[in-house]
Structures are given as structure tokens and as C-alpha cells.
Amino acid sequence: MSIFFLPFLLFFILLPSTNAGYWPPSPGYYPSSKFRSMSFYQGFRNLWGPNHQNVDNNGINIWLDRNSGSGFKSIKPFRSGYFGASIKLQPGYTAGVITAFYLSNSEAHPGYHDEVDIEFLGTTFGKPYTLQTNVYIRGSGDGKIVGREMKFHLWFDPTKEFHHYAILWSPREIIFLVDDVPIRRYARKSIATFPLRPMWLYGSIWDASSWATEDGKYKADYRYQPFYGKFTNFKASGCTAYSPRWCHPVSASPSRSGGLTRQQRLAMNWVHSHYLAYDYCRDSKRDHSQTPECWR
């Protein structure tokens, strides 16, 4: 090897690597394969914006324009379960737009509700979507905002194809999954910091210009309307609010007792190492007396 070539080689080796296009390690277990898909009308009904949704091939397309957004809601409330959907997002300029898939009991407990969120925060040209996960407990998402946000970028372009996003909620833990890869585990550490009341499953698209994109720096621009969110391959399986007491909560791992396997934890740690964009527990500007699960 020539002396001239050696510095060039060292420069190449020390260049910072990019993770774009790299996929996480196999989680080894695939919860989505354990639950049957259902059509939209088997599990859901329109909630608002009926003229801004279209049921198509057992899925649904919902959209936002300057007149309205749209949302849908599960027929049944659940007290635990696996809740998933394959979702495809709008490409291009989507700043200020939220496409969401979430659990909530806000209608049953206005001003004092629980919520578990998967939210896609719209973006500007050339920047990736942010997937935000959040947990609100007994009104902490209402007047006194105490969010528990963890934000991620994704290892793929969510506008190109459908990908499966899911929430597994049991009395012990909440696990967020993307294509069966766990990206977040929120454990029950106390009754005060964990949602236990029945919730419904929702999907929606709406204008959240005040905060959605870089804390409200970029707003929804209706020159690019309509903004679509496409949902299919719905899965909602578990204990409904009407199930007998002996109904056993579902699990994200091979063990019925729940938790994650070592292989699943390795995959989740890989995502955190490469794609975690924000963790509320690591935010020094937050008042962590209101989020005791961060230090227990």
C-alpha cells in the first residue's frame, strides 16, 4: 500500500457513518402474527369528518384540508390488548399535520382522561417524519399537561409503503412496536403513573400547527392539501371492558407473563441507539417530580 493512499484510507474509515437504510436486529418474536386482521367496519365507526374519509379494501383513508380533518373510533372499549394497524403517510410538506393511532377514554372521562399515543408529526421537505409515543394518566393530558413523550425517527421512509404500528397494553406494561420491533416499553411502576381504566382505539388526522413540527415553527400549509393518512390491516384483540374477569391479557413475548425476551430487548436498544430523538426522562428542563417513574 502506498504512503499516499494510507491517509485517504484512514480518512474514509473515520468518516461518520449513517444508519439510513439499516434495519434493526430481528426481534425473534412477531406479535402481529398472533392476532387476526379485521376490516374497518368490523371494529370501527366514524367519529368525525365523515366527508373526509373513504373505506377502501377493508382499510380507510382519512384526510385533512382547510375545511376539516377526520377521525374514527373502535366500537368496543378495552381494558387491555394488542392494537395495531398498517399505516402509510403523506409524502412532501406535511408540517403541522398529525396522523394518530391511539387509545383514549377522553369521551368517558372529559378533563380526567387516560391516553396512549402513536402520533406521526408532520414535517417539511427533505426532513424525516417523527414518530411520537406518549402516555397520559388521569387528566395529565388535559388542563395540566404532563406528557411522557419519547420521539423516534424511523429506519425507513413511512410514505413509501405500509408499515405496521402497534400498542400492546397490559396491566403490567405498555409496549410500542414498529413492524414487530419493540421501540419503547413503559412499565407499571405505580397505580398513579399507569393507565388502567378502559379505553377505546382511535385514528385521526388533524391540524396541530401550534406544536407539531419543531414546536410550532412550521405550520400547516394548505397549498399542499389534502393531507392523507392511510390505514389497513387493523388488529384489536384482548380483553374488552365487557370481558369476564378471568380474561387473560395478551403478551408481546412468547411468555404469557409478558415482558420482552433478550432478543427483543437487543432490538429495542438498537433503535434507541440509532433513532431515539427525544426522551422525556432525559430532559433536564422537565419537572420530574411529576414523572416519578423516571427515577424509581
Side-chain angles (χ1 to χ4, degrees):
M1 181 182 297
S2 71
I3 296 176
F4 173 79
F5 184 72
L6 185 59
F8 175 80
L9 179 62
L10 289 173
F11 173 75
F12 178 79
I13 292 172
L14 293 174
L15 279 174
S17 63
T18 176
N19 298 303
Y22 287 83
W23 291 75
S26 168
Y29 184 77
Y30 302 90
S32 68
S33 67
K34 309 301 178 183
F35 305 104
R36 182 179 301 175
S37 297
M38 63 182 178
S39 68
F40 177 79
Y41 284 126
Q42 282 180 299
F44 300 92
R45 294 292 183 269
N46 168 69
L47 180 63
W48 60 286
N51 295 327
H52 286 68
Q53 55 184 243
N54 175 43
V55 177
D56 180 33
N57 294 328
N58 293 327
I60 187 170
N61 301 330
I62 57 177
W63 62 91
L64 167 71
D65 59 27
R66 66 175 66 255
N67 296 313
S68 179
S70 188
F72 56 88
K73 176 184 178 181
S74 65
I75 298 169
K76 299 177 182 178
F78 294 83
R79 66 172 190 258
S80 66
Y82 176 93
F83 310 98
S86 295
I87 302 172
K88 186 178 179 182
L89 302 176
Q90 175 92 356
Y93 187 99
T94 55
V97 179
I98 295 288
T99 307
F101 186 65
Y102 61 103
L103 296 164
S104 178
N105 50 33
S106 59
E107 294 172 276
H109 304 285
Y112 196 63
H113 82 285
D114 308 298
E115 189 167 310
V116 180
D117 295 331
I118 290 176
E119 298 174 306
F120 299 95
L121 311 185
T123 189
T124 57
F125 292 117
K127 293 186 179 180
Y129 267 92
T130 296
L131 186 156
Q132 175 170 280
T133 64
N134 210 344
V135 180
Y136 294 125
I137 295 121
R138 287 192 292 279
S140 64
D142 298 316
K144 50 174 188 176
I145 301 297
V146 183
R148 292 166 167 82
E149 303 93 341
M150 287 183 70
K151 300 179 184 181
F152 302 85
H153 295 306
L154 296 165
W155 49 95
F156 52 83
D157 183 345
T159 72
K160 297 293 187 184
E161 298 175 342
F162 283 93
H163 290 268
H164 199 71
Y165 306 88
I167 299 166
L168 192 142
W169 171 41
S170 80
R172 294 184 54 187
E173 61 193 357
I174 298 167
I175 297 172
F176 298 86
L177 304 109
V178 176
D179 289 339
D180 286 308
V181 175
I183 63 169
R184 178 181 182 181
R185 179 176 180 264
Y186 181 86
R188 174 179 169 179
K189 295 186 178 180
S190 72
I191 293 177
T193 61
F194 197 86
L196 293 169
R197 297 178 298 178
M199 291 188 278
W200 285 260
L201 180 60
Y202 295 81
S204 64
I205 189 166
W206 54 290
D207 186 333
S209 290
S210 63
W211 63 270
T213 306
E214 298 186 32
D215 296 323
K217 180 180 179 181
Y218 298 100
K219 315 293 185 184
D221 187 338
Y222 289 101
R223 291 178 298 173
Y224 302 107
Q225 69 176 25
F227 303 102
Y228 276 88
K230 300 182 178 183
F231 296 73
T232 190
N233 192 24
F234 289 105
K235 302 192 178 193
S237 183
C239 300
T240 73
Y242 317 118
S243 297
R245 290 181 176 270
W246 48 258
C247 180
H248 198 286
V250 299
S251 171
S253 72
S255 169
R256 290 187 65 188
S257 61
L260 296 174
T261 66
R262 180 177 180 275
Q263 196 166 344
Q264 286 175 309
R265 291 196 303 271
L266 287 173
M268 183 171 68
N269 290 340
W270 185 93
V271 173
H272 286 199
S273 296
H274 296 93
Y275 291 99
L276 179 63
Y278 175 82
D279 181 348
Y280 74 107
C281 281
R282 299 180 186 178
D283 188 343
S284 60
K285 298 177 182 178
R286 293 285 299 265
D287 177 6
H288 290 294
S289 65
Q290 300 181 66
T291 54
E293 71 278 1
C294 289
W295 41 267
R296 282 181 179 169

